[in-house]
Amino acid sequence: MSAGAQTDDRPLVLVADDEPDVLGSIVPFLSRSGFRVISAPDGRLALDEIRRHGPDACVLDVLMPGADGREVLRTLRREQNWVPVLLLTQVGEAVERAMALEEGADDYLNKPFDPHELVARVRAVLRRTRSGGPPLATASVLVSTFGLKVDRVGRRAWLRERELVITPKGFTLLEYLMVHQDELIERSRLLEVLWGFDDAVGTRAVDSRVAELRRVLGEDAAEPRWIATVQGKGYRFIAEVAGADSLDDA
């Protein structure tokens, strides 16, 4: 009985993909990594499985018959189901990725991907969504320490009573770092989030946007309150972040 109880304590992950080879590799890998796994070959069956089993997280392919991953995501959010969702997207579809995040996806991963990266992303979204309050990925407002407040709907930010003047890409960077609070986000990842694969810009562009945010926030890179540099890797948002449904609730 004790072994069965331990198995039941493992997080349950649903994986939906119409490619048998993908399911055939992802499902056993996730199982070996400490998850219970159920699978579905299309979006409609995925919705049935989600409603039946109530998984702790979902991995959904964007391109599926019946209902694609984004349609499944929209349906879940309309039903007030905030299960963490990680979308599998195609390389180069920057617009698709941006829209998916706006519609309530917790994260995305480009195909083809390293299964170890998938496991790391699933664990990360589970950590973020088990902290209580609205999930950061779907919260309309993000609130951090020292009076930092970000209105994701109005695309505005404040530091105490002062409204911040931030470029669109600077705002997107701040939003992404806050949603992924306490995670090491590599420069290559931030480059992909801000510009996509089609734009010929280097990782220095990411550093420039971080420098912009630090100027706006009045932050010292040597003693950061919010954004810490991880030498040779990327950045980490080190302050606490909470989600709110509206500015009045923040």
Side-chain angles (χ1 to χ4, degrees):
M1 288 295 293
S2 60
Q6 289 178 355
T7 300
D8 288 344
D9 286 341
R10 296 185 304 164
L12 177 63
V13 177
L14 174 131
V15 180
D17 199 301
D18 63 323
E19 297 181 46
D21 289 347
V22 173
L23 286 182
S25 61
I26 290 179
V27 170
F29 194 89
L30 286 171
S31 297
R32 292 193 300 271
S33 300
F35 300 99
R36 291 179 294 137
V37 188
I38 53 178
S39 63
D42 64 59
R44 296 193 191 283
L45 289 175
L47 279 171
D48 290 342
E49 293 293 292
I50 292 168
R51 290 162 179 159
R52 182 179 300 116
H53 298 285
D56 297 292
C58 299
V59 178
L60 307 175
D61 185 30
V62 166
L63 301 177
M64 288 189 292
D68 63 30
R70 283 180 52 207
E71 184 177 343
V72 172
L73 172 64
R74 288 193 296 268
T75 300
L76 291 172
R77 299 310 185 232
R78 281 197 303 268
E79 296 175 352
Q80 300 295 299
N81 187 331
W82 306 112
V83 60
V85 171
L86 187 149
L87 292 179
L88 303 178
T89 66
Q90 299 297 321
V91 171
E93 294 180 350
V95 174
E96 284 286 328
R97 294 194 298 271
M99 291 178 66
L101 292 174
E102 288 178 3
E103 289 168 349
D106 293 80
D107 210 342
Y108 67 87
L109 191 59
N110 288 312
K111 286 184 170 182
F113 54 84
D114 183 336
H116 292 90
E117 178 71 6
L118 174 63
V119 168
R121 296 288 178 83
V122 170
R123 287 175 175 159
V125 297
L126 286 173
R127 283 196 303 272
R128 293 202 301 271
T129 53
R130 287 178 172 177
S131 58
L136 295 183
T138 56
S140 298
V141 178
L142 301 173
V143 182
S144 187
T145 53
F146 306 106
L148 178 60
K149 186 185 302 183
V150 172
D151 175 7
R152 303 176 73 192
V153 179
R155 309 297 287 175
R156 301 169 71 187
W158 294 264
L159 185 59
R160 300 181 185 88
E161 301 302 318
R162 175 172 62 93
E163 184 167 356
L164 303 176
V165 179
I166 311 176
T167 63
K169 279 190 167 50
F171 187 94
T172 299
L173 173 61
L174 177 61
E175 178 185 25
Y176 191 84
L177 288 171
M178 291 180 74
V179 168
H180 295 79
Q181 185 266 342
D182 203 36
E183 292 180 41
L184 166 59
I185 311 296
E186 295 186 356
R187 285 179 175 84
S188 58
R189 176 71 171 175
L190 293 173
L191 183 66
E192 176 188 321
V193 168
L194 294 174
W195 285 277
F197 284 104
D198 297 332
D199 288 315
V201 296
T203 54
R204 291 284 186 184
V206 173
D207 297 336
S208 296
R209 294 302 173 184
V210 171
E212 172 201 339
L213 289 181
R214 285 176 169 155
R215 283 195 306 272
V216 170
L217 294 170
E219 175 166 82
D220 182 353
E223 297 181 7
R225 289 179 168 185
W226 298 282
I227 304 170
T229 301
V230 181
Q231 291 297 330
K233 293 287 187 178
Y235 298 95
R236 189 192 308 273
F237 197 90
I238 56 176
E240 292 297 320
V241 180
D245 293 323
S246 68
L247 285 171
D248 292 336
D249 297 331

